mmCIF file of all heavy atoms in Angstrom:
data_model
loop_
_atom_site.group_PDB
_atom_site.id
_atom_site.type_symbol
_atom_site.label_atom_id
_atom_site.label_comp_id
_atom_site.label_asym_id
_atom_site.label_seq_id
_atom_site.Cartn_x
_atom_site.Cartn_y
_atom_site.Cartn_z
ATOM 1 N N HIS A 506 140.389 43.415 87.851
ATOM 2 C CA HIS A 506 141.110 44.684 88.069
ATOM 3 C C HIS A 506 140.518 45.695 87.052
ATOM 4 O O HIS A 506 140.481 45.380 85.840
ATOM 5 C CB HIS A 506 142.610 44.648 87.814
ATOM 6 C CG HIS A 506 143.282 45.973 87.770
ATOM 7 N ND1 HIS A 506 144.052 46.482 88.905
ATOM 8 C CD2 HIS A 506 143.344 46.974 86.925
ATOM 9 C CE1 HIS A 506 144.555 47.669 88.595
ATOM 10 N NE2 HIS A 506 144.132 48.046 87.373
ATOM 11 N N CYS A 507 139.977 46.764 87.498
ATOM 12 C CA CYS A 507 139.314 47.758 86.516
ATOM 13 C C CYS A 507 139.566 49.161 87.101
ATOM 14 O O CYS A 507 139.196 49.530 88.294
ATOM 15 C CB CYS A 507 137.826 47.497 86.391
ATOM 16 S SG CYS A 507 137.026 48.621 85.250
ATOM 17 N N ARG A 508 140.269 50.031 86.375
ATOM 18 C CA ARG A 508 140.470 51.382 86.683
ATOM 19 C C ARG A 508 140.167 52.322 85.515
ATOM 20 O O ARG A 508 140.853 52.167 84.531
ATOM 21 C CB ARG A 508 141.896 51.578 87.263
ATOM 22 C CG ARG A 508 142.096 52.907 87.930
ATOM 23 C CD ARG A 508 143.426 53.031 88.613
ATOM 24 N NE ARG A 508 143.493 54.286 89.276
ATOM 25 C CZ ARG A 508 144.657 54.777 89.856
ATOM 26 N NH1 ARG A 508 145.809 54.035 89.708
ATOM 27 N NH2 ARG A 508 144.704 55.844 90.469
ATOM 28 N N ASP A 509 139.277 53.188 85.729
ATOM 29 C CA ASP A 509 138.897 54.169 84.662
ATOM 30 C C ASP A 509 138.511 53.544 83.385
ATOM 31 O O ASP A 509 138.712 54.047 82.301
ATOM 32 C CB ASP A 509 140.003 55.193 84.455
ATOM 33 C CG ASP A 509 140.207 56.179 85.493
ATOM 34 O OD1 ASP A 509 139.425 56.061 86.571
ATOM 35 O OD2 ASP A 509 141.015 57.101 85.400
ATOM 36 N N ALA A 510 137.942 52.333 83.506
ATOM 37 C CA ALA A 510 137.511 51.493 82.306
ATOM 38 C C ALA A 510 136.223 50.776 82.586
ATOM 39 O O ALA A 510 136.015 49.695 81.929
ATOM 40 C CB ALA A 510 138.648 50.642 81.888
ATOM 41 N N GLU A 511 135.428 51.287 83.545
ATOM 42 C CA GLU A 511 134.272 50.496 83.978
ATOM 43 C C GLU A 511 133.316 50.081 82.865
ATOM 44 O O GLU A 511 132.854 48.963 82.810
ATOM 45 C CB GLU A 511 133.549 51.230 85.086
ATOM 46 C CG GLU A 511 134.353 51.305 86.381
ATOM 47 C CD GLU A 511 135.427 52.316 86.366
ATOM 48 O OE1 GLU A 511 135.368 53.236 85.560
ATOM 49 O OE2 GLU A 511 136.385 52.213 87.290
ATOM 50 N N ASP A 512 133.021 51.021 81.982
ATOM 51 C CA ASP A 512 131.955 50.732 80.916
ATOM 52 C C ASP A 512 132.515 49.655 79.967
ATOM 53 O O ASP A 512 131.710 48.724 79.702
ATOM 54 C CB ASP A 512 131.683 52.014 80.160
ATOM 55 C CG ASP A 512 130.846 52.928 80.930
ATOM 56 O OD1 ASP A 512 130.089 52.610 81.952
ATOM 57 O OD2 ASP A 512 130.874 54.231 80.638
ATOM 58 N N ASP A 513 133.673 49.767 79.596
ATOM 59 C CA ASP A 513 134.216 48.677 78.722
ATOM 60 C C ASP A 513 134.354 47.414 79.386
ATOM 61 O O ASP A 513 134.077 46.222 78.806
ATOM 62 C CB ASP A 513 135.600 49.090 78.094
ATOM 63 C CG ASP A 513 135.518 50.134 76.992
ATOM 64 O OD1 ASP A 513 134.356 50.512 76.662
ATOM 65 O OD2 ASP A 513 136.564 50.593 76.540
ATOM 66 N N CYS A 514 134.802 47.405 80.612
ATOM 67 C CA CYS A 514 134.999 46.161 81.461
ATOM 68 C C CYS A 514 133.652 45.385 81.579
ATOM 69 O O CYS A 514 133.554 44.178 81.375
ATOM 70 C CB CYS A 514 135.567 46.457 82.759
ATOM 71 S SG CYS A 514 136.207 45.078 83.674
ATOM 72 N N LEU A 515 132.642 46.225 81.939
ATOM 73 C CA LEU A 515 131.336 45.555 82.195
ATOM 74 C C LEU A 515 130.690 45.014 80.843
ATOM 75 O O LEU A 515 130.187 43.957 80.830
ATOM 76 C CB LEU A 515 130.408 46.580 82.810
ATOM 77 C CG LEU A 515 129.083 45.995 83.433
ATOM 78 C CD1 LEU A 515 129.383 45.079 84.481
ATOM 79 C CD2 LEU A 515 128.195 47.155 83.904
ATOM 80 N N ALA A 516 130.970 45.812 79.741
ATOM 81 C CA ALA A 516 130.456 45.383 78.485
ATOM 82 C C ALA A 516 131.133 44.047 78.051
ATOM 83 O O ALA A 516 130.420 43.169 77.573
ATOM 84 C CB ALA A 516 130.695 46.442 77.450
ATOM 85 N N ILE A 517 132.428 43.909 78.234
ATOM 86 C CA ILE A 517 133.173 42.698 77.898
ATOM 87 C C ILE A 517 132.621 41.498 78.760
ATOM 88 O O ILE A 517 132.393 40.451 78.197
ATOM 89 C CB ILE A 517 134.649 42.885 77.961
ATOM 90 C CG1 ILE A 517 135.164 43.821 76.855
ATOM 91 C CG2 ILE A 517 135.379 41.601 77.956
ATOM 92 C CD1 ILE A 517 136.568 44.264 76.993
ATOM 93 N N LEU A 518 132.467 41.766 80.023
ATOM 94 C CA LEU A 518 131.959 40.722 80.866
ATOM 95 C C LEU A 518 130.513 40.283 80.513
ATOM 96 O O LEU A 518 130.258 39.043 80.459
ATOM 97 C CB LEU A 518 131.997 41.131 82.360
ATOM 98 C CG LEU A 518 133.377 41.257 82.939
ATOM 99 C CD1 LEU A 518 133.307 41.975 84.328
ATOM 100 C CD2 LEU A 518 133.966 39.898 83.081
ATOM 101 N N ASP A 519 129.679 41.202 80.165
ATOM 102 C CA ASP A 519 128.366 40.866 79.684
ATOM 103 C C ASP A 519 128.377 40.184 78.385
ATOM 104 O O ASP A 519 127.672 39.132 78.189
ATOM 105 C CB ASP A 519 127.518 42.110 79.601
ATOM 106 C CG ASP A 519 127.125 42.669 80.929
ATOM 107 O OD1 ASP A 519 127.200 41.956 81.948
ATOM 108 O OD2 ASP A 519 126.618 43.815 80.985
#
Side-chain angles (χ1 to χ4, degrees):
H506 171 104
C507 183
R508 190 172 186 189
D509 286 5
E511 288 78 20
D512 289 338
D513 283 357
C514 191
L515 193 62
I517 288 172
L518 289 167
D519 285 345

